[in-house]
Amino acid sequence: MTTAKKDTLNPSQHAAVTHPGGPLLVLAGAGSGKTKIITERISHLVTKEDVSPHRILAVTFTNKAANEMRERVSHLIPGSAKGLWIGTFHSTALRILKRDIDKLPGFDRNFAIYDDADQIRLIKDCMARLNIGERGIEPRFVRTRIDRAKNRGGKPGDTGNDELNEDITNIFELYEKEMRKLNALDFGDLLHVTARLFEERPEVLEAYQEQFRHILVDEYQDTNNVQYRIVEMLSRKHKNIFVVGDDNQSIYGWRGADITNILNFEKDFPSASIIKLEKNYRSTKNILNAANGLITKNRNRHEKNLWTDNPEGEKLSYFEAVDEREEARYVVSEIESEVSRGGRSYRDIAVFYRTNNQSRVIEEELLRKDVPYAIVGGTGFYQRAEIRDLTAFLRVIANPNDDLSLRRIINVPARGIGKGTVDEVTRIAADEDISFVEALRKSVAENLLPQRTILALKKFLSMLDGLIEFEKDHGIGETIDRILEKTGYLELLEKEPERRENVGEIFNIAAEFEREEEGAGVREFLDRITLSSDIDSYNGKEERVALMTLHSAKGLEFPVVFIIGMEEKLIPHYNSLKDNGDVEEERRLFYVGITRAREKLYLIGARSRRFFGKEERPTPSRFVSELPEELVEVKNLYTGLLRESTSSGFAPRNKSATRRTGSASSSAAPPTPKPGNSGYKAGQKIHHPSFGPGTITKVEGEGDSAKVTVSFLAHGVKKIIAAYLEGK
DNA sequence: ACCGATTGAATTTTT
DNA sequence: TTCAATCGGT
């Protein structure tokens, strides 16, 4: 935000922007001006090197990043930004496939895009059809395996090599067959098929190679194998591949991102240069050093040393709440004082968490205290049942052979076409090898079903035909309107104002889409919404506290950041602690969270937390003790200070405090204060229920309120209220 | 075929 | 806690 950052480039940045050509890896640490480098580079190419905009391809991972990039570029070079190919990997692939996918046998340019919910549904169908299911394979799991295979460019044989492989392979094959029939591509396909297109149709590849003289990739550490292959193939001719990334921020390994892409860049692209951007413009010294200290615990990384000219700033603060409710109260009360006493505004503040469900408690408290907030990302708008219903209608109109969508909405609202009928028609479709609508029409024409159902089907089909006709010469918004009216969907939502509102919102989105994309139809609209997520719409301009997961936080920054749930099994997440988990990735995730903060970072954990109904007693996150100790101020441990400050909200709630949900966990329960013990002294060995064994190094004060400094075996040095120790 | 109720299950991160 | 799927009654 300083003028130095805005107007001038430091030497490394300048070198990157003006790089003469050939492969370049820019290792850009957090807050080192990554986006700026890319946008300046594009502008440099266009204005100084006379590269025509349409010969530049810039890919990012999120629409948000793409939009931001486009906006900033159009600022730098007004007018020229239009021709640029800026987009996410997926949208770029889509653009290519919409043009050329029919050069591959068996594909049609009018394909639909299926998101993962669609995938799961189809996989379930396939499993049912193959009589797989009792064997305990979860559709989700199958999807992951299919995705993984596509990421590696694999075919249905190589989904893995365990005992499940045969089943999965069978499901995969049927799934692919069905997807062709449905004329649909899933997210994985967008990339995988693009790679195939390039591999199998050299003339197509050549055309794109020729076109793209410069290729820029943002967040390179998040690329997976297909993405790497696509980019590598495209850059083979001109070799101008410019990638920017930070291996320390690789947090999508679970989705197939391959951190070795960035670690091996020099090997993959011979004669590659590397430029490191190590100057951080964002955070205070304390925050940056905390992040640096943490990340050195990871083995697998490029050596980088981030530094900053910024002031030292405040220490990080760490607070342990009794439970998640107190955690929320603490966060909100700190937010309030940041605003009232610290002169912050709400939009300066963000709360990060590991899992979406953690937002709830915080939300409740924010609501209670009338603090404006916005949830960024999360269970998306587009995932809501009513929105999915509506898009299913649209899909069926765009392609009546979209069986999956048709089956979804054929009885919504209820119109007398029940499960029995659907099953029967599905069977006919399978027997005759025709689509579901065709089977419907056949059933009606040949009277294959009871009279009552035939009647219902007739009504449905004529309604559908009417809508299909209507869409031909009306806009998207009008079509949505018509659907709502003709299907009776609006009445269905009569008593649900919230859902009605959502449906209204999709209408607005459609109207907006029509305005900005002239000539685009329902198909394009559907593509757009399945490729967008809610995070894309966050602009940070509103006067609200932002709530989001650590993953969503990547690429953003805030003066004040709260990271909640600093506990084992949350950060690092439970799943990373088991078998094939990756704790280093969790550490990077936390690193990403830390480095979002400009001035003030709060870490909060709870000593008790309900997981789904069940009360658990987590231990503090190992990552907290990995931070350089002198940079962290431990706010309090069970001092109950907060309890006194908020009077009404939670007077002695003994009920919940003493609730015996599983007495098994009582051994790990927080230590009960021991009445009248005063006799701690330095050198004494003690045991703390969470931190384990330790040695007292210092005692201040007397009695229960004495503060004891303890050096723990596993958790470093902590200052603790004496009352909460167990002497030993 | 539909509705309601009970039961059971499952919860990471997302283009 | 919340959601989905299943079951049984109408």
Side-chain angles (χ1 to χ4, degrees):
Chain A
M1 293 305 121
T2 60
T3 46
K5 183 181 176 184
K6 266 226 144 79
D7 303 337
T8 61
L9 297 166
N10 71 34
S12 325
Q13 289 176 330
H14 185 262
V17 168
T18 59
H19 180 68
L24 175 69
L25 166 62
V26 180
L27 281 172
S32 64
K34 188 162 55 76
T35 315
K36 181 180 180 188
I37 292 306
I38 299 184
T39 51
E40 291 283 348
R41 170 75 178 170
I42 293 172
S43 149
H44 171 85
L45 291 173
V46 173
T47 59
K48 300 277 163 42
E49 300 197 6
D50 252 353
V51 181
S52 160
H54 89 281
R55 290 174 152 272
I56 298 174
L57 170 66
V59 274
T60 64
F61 276 81
T62 64
N63 297 303
K64 184 177 184 302
N67 293 339
E68 190 178 328
M69 197 178 286
R70 163 159 272 123
E71 197 175 310
R72 284 167 72 162
V73 171
S74 62
H75 224 72
L76 292 171
I77 43 171
S80 306
K82 273 193 276 50
L84 292 165
W85 279 57
I86 294 183
T88 63
F89 271 102
H90 294 266
S91 68
T92 303
L94 175 66
R95 198 166 163 186
I96 291 170
L97 292 178
K98 279 290 169 185
R99 221 150 74 171
D100 293 313
I101 196 174
D102 55 356
K103 309 217 162 56
L104 283 175
F107 289 94
D108 179 305
R109 294 205 327 229
N110 199 31
F111 59 86
I113 304 172
Y114 271 23
D115 68 14
D116 47 351
D118 299 318
Q119 283 189 74
I120 300 258
R121 232 145 17 98
L122 184 55
I123 288 169
K124 272 188 191 161
D125 281 357
C126 293
M127 287 173 69
R129 246 197 304 143
L130 295 168
N131 291 316
I132 301 173
E134 316 89 56
R135 267 169 279 185
I137 313 179
E138 285 173 56
R140 282 179 66 122
F141 179 73
V142 177
R143 203 215 52 202
T144 308
R145 293 273 286 252
I146 290 176
D147 262 6
R148 217 194 292 161
K150 286 181 177 175
N151 278 343
R152 287 195 314 253
K155 291 174 292 295
D158 26 271
T159 54
N161 48 8
D162 50 31
E163 71 284 359
L164 297 169
N165 196 35
E166 195 186 325
D167 279 342
I168 292 177
T169 303
N170 289 333
I171 300 166
F172 195 173
E173 271 167 1
L174 182 57
Y175 171 84
E176 285 296 293
K177 211 176 109 204
E178 289 302 306
M179 288 291 275
R180 290 293 72 73
K181 273 206 234 162
L182 294 162
N183 195 18
L185 297 187
D186 60 36
F187 284 143
D189 285 332
L190 288 176
L191 304 174
H192 169 235
V193 176
T194 300
R196 254 189 68 193
L197 174 68
F198 289 163
E199 277 154 5
E200 294 173 22
R201 295 279 134 193
E203 74 280 6
V204 175
L205 174 61
E206 248 171 76
Y208 285 103
Q209 281 176 332
E210 184 54 39
Q211 179 184 344
F212 297 129
R213 273 184 53 194
H214 288 272
I215 297 172
L216 301 91
V217 185
D218 190 15
E219 308 278 17
Y220 189 69
Q221 75 281 358
D222 286 332
T223 49
N224 63 27
N225 180 274
V226 222
Q227 289 162 335
Y228 162 76
R229 278 174 16 238
I230 290 173
V231 159
E232 190 276 325
M233 286 189 274
L234 283 175
S235 65
R236 243 179 241 161
K237 180 168 171 112
H238 295 292
K239 304 213 165 32
N240 292 322
I241 175 160
F242 181 102
V243 310
V244 182
D246 179 0
D247 45 309
N248 289 335
Q249 294 187 62
S250 164
I251 54 175
Y252 284 107
W254 52 276
R255 218 169 78 188
D258 187 352
I259 192 171
T260 58
N261 284 344
I262 194 166
L263 296 175
N264 292 339
F265 186 82
E266 308 150 84
K267 287 190 206 107
D268 295 337
F269 297 92
S271 80
S273 322
I274 295 192
I275 293 176
K276 292 183 185 181
L277 302 184
E278 300 181 296
K279 178 166 183 187
N280 173 296
Y281 293 91
R282 180 186 296 152
S283 307
T284 64
K285 286 196 174 66
N286 280 342
I287 290 169
L288 197 59
N289 289 336
N292 281 339
L294 174 87
I295 207 64
T296 52
K297 300 281 194 285
N298 275 359
R299 324 265 345 247
N300 235 331
R301 57 191 213 97
H302 279 292
E303 206 43 60
K304 251 196 317 298
N305 202 4
L306 269 182
W307 59 278
T308 184
D309 279 342
N310 291 340
E312 190 170 278
E314 288 178 66
K315 285 188 180 184
L316 283 61
S317 94
Y318 173 58
F319 178 82
E320 274 188 13
V322 181
D323 57 19
E324 74 269 36
R325 308 229 336 133
E326 192 190 44
E327 177 181 64
R329 282 192 296 268
Y330 177 75
V331 168
V332 175
S333 83
E334 288 300 310
I335 288 174
E336 286 181 317
S337 80
E338 286 286 350
V339 172
S340 62
R341 260 165 286 163
R344 312 275 188 194
S345 60
Y346 289 126
R347 72 160 154 249
D348 292 339
I349 303 171
V351 181
F352 302 155
Y353 35 79
R354 180 64 229 263
T355 65
N356 281 118
N357 58 25
Q358 290 175 260
S359 70
R360 256 197 58 191
V361 195
I362 302 285
E363 277 186 83
E364 282 166 12
E365 185 65 13
L366 288 166
L367 279 172
R368 210 167 68 83
K369 290 288 170 81
D370 271 327
V371 176
Y373 70 92
I375 300 245
V376 181
T379 304
F381 175 75
Y382 297 106
Q383 314 295 327
R384 290 166 204 271
E386 59 274 22
I387 302 305
R388 296 201 73 100
D389 285 342
L390 196 58
T391 55
F393 277 114
L394 286 171
R395 280 179 174 186
V396 173
I397 289 168
N399 171 19
N401 292 325
D402 188 332
D403 296 3
L404 207 65
S405 302
L406 181 49
R407 290 215 303 266
R408 179 186 178 103
I409 47 87
I410 191 165
N411 203 31
V412 178
R415 49 176 77 88
I417 306 171
K419 189 173 181 304
T421 308
V422 171
D423 285 350
E424 181 58 17
V425 176
T426 306
R427 202 189 52 74
I428 294 172
D431 283 357
E432 309 273 330
D433 198 30
I434 53 178
S435 75
F436 190 83
V437 243
E438 284 162 348
L440 279 180
R441 295 195 197 281
K442 187 181 162 79
S443 308
V444 171
E446 303 178 15
N447 258 311
L448 300 174
L449 297 163
Q451 210 44 49
R452 266 185 51 180
T453 5
I454 294 285
L455 218 64
L457 294 184
K458 265 189 185 157
K459 254 180 95 184
F460 176 76
L461 284 171
S462 76
M463 177 189 80
L464 181 59
D465 289 335
L467 288 171
I468 291 171
E469 275 309 306
F470 183 89
E471 190 271 334
K472 284 183 183 156
D473 38 33
H474 292 83
I476 305 165
E478 288 172 295
T479 305
I480 290 175
D481 232 20
R482 183 84 167 186
I483 291 171
L484 292 173
E485 181 200 329
K486 289 287 174 190
T487 62
Y489 200 82
L490 218 51
E491 288 153 56
L492 184 72
L493 299 183
E494 200 112 56
K495 288 157 295 200
E496 307 195 65
E498 199 176 315
R499 300 180 129 200
R500 263 182 103 104
E501 227 170 86
N502 289 333
V503 170
E505 179 60 22
I506 199 79
F507 180 85
N508 292 338
I509 293 173
E512 163 98 35
F513 179 78
E514 282 183 297
R515 227 174 303 126
E516 73 189 32
E517 306 284 324
E518 222 164 302
V522 167
R523 176 89 287 152
E524 286 74 26
F525 178 60
L526 288 169
D527 292 344
R528 163 71 67 91
I529 65 181
T530 71
L531 285 184
S532 39
S533 69
D534 311 62
I535 193 170
D536 303 334
S537 56
Y538 175 71
N539 59 24
K541 296 213 166 70
E542 285 169 73
E543 230 353 279
R544 294 163 182 279
V545 175
L547 269 53
M548 69 191 84
T549 64
L550 285 162
H551 282 86
S552 304
K554 194 170 69 165
L556 304 176
E557 62 176 44
F558 298 87
V560 181
V561 166
F562 292 81
I563 302 179
I564 67 172
M566 291 304 308
E567 299 140 32
E568 291 288 302
K569 298 190 177 174
L570 227 34
I571 311 177
H573 191 273
Y574 183 63
N575 290 343
S576 74
L577 264 17
K578 339 182 44 169
D579 42 305
N580 45 15
D582 184 353
V583 176
E584 293 212 347
E585 179 155 314
E586 296 290 305
R587 193 175 280 110
R588 292 193 293 268
L589 185 58
F590 182 40
Y591 175 86
V592 167
I594 295 174
T595 53
R596 301 306 95 196
R598 295 224 298 250
E599 295 163 17
K600 179 85 224 232
L601 178 64
Y602 290 88
L603 306 174
I604 304 98
R607 305 300 305 271
S608 154
R609 166 167 247 121
R610 310 153 77 93
F611 275 96
F612 358 74
K614 265 194 307 276
E615 191 118 339
E616 307 259 330
R617 307 210 142 270
T619 47
S621 169
R622 70 190 68 183
F623 298 150
V624 173
S625 37
E626 288 176 3
L627 298 171
E629 198 195 326
E630 67 279 7
L631 299 179
V632 183
E633 185 180 349
V634 177
K635 276 298 192 222
N636 82 338
L637 285 166
Y638 285 88
T639 55
L641 285 179
L642 204 74
R643 205 155 304 185
E644 285 148 23
S645 65
T646 7
S647 50
S648 68
F650 61 100
R653 339 170 25 92
N654 287 331
K655 279 238 181 62
S656 66
T658 49
R659 175 154 39 204
R660 312 157 272 143
T661 353
S663 48
S665 66
S666 70
S667 63
T672 29
K674 286 198 214 100
N677 65 353
S678 52
Y680 286 114
K681 56 178 191 288
Q684 187 178 351
K685 300 255 193 268
I686 54 90
H687 185 271
H688 187 277
S690 303
F691 299 132
T695 308
I696 294 179
T697 56
K698 194 172 155 197
V699 182
E700 294 160 277
E702 278 182 43
D704 281 354
S705 60
K707 291 192 184 68
V708 184
T709 308
V710 184
S711 169
F712 288 103
L713 232 46
H715 292 271
V717 179
K718 310 256 183 232
K719 202 179 247 189
I720 293 174
I721 303 292
Y724 295 96
L725 288 175
E726 289 165 359
K728 222 228 87 200

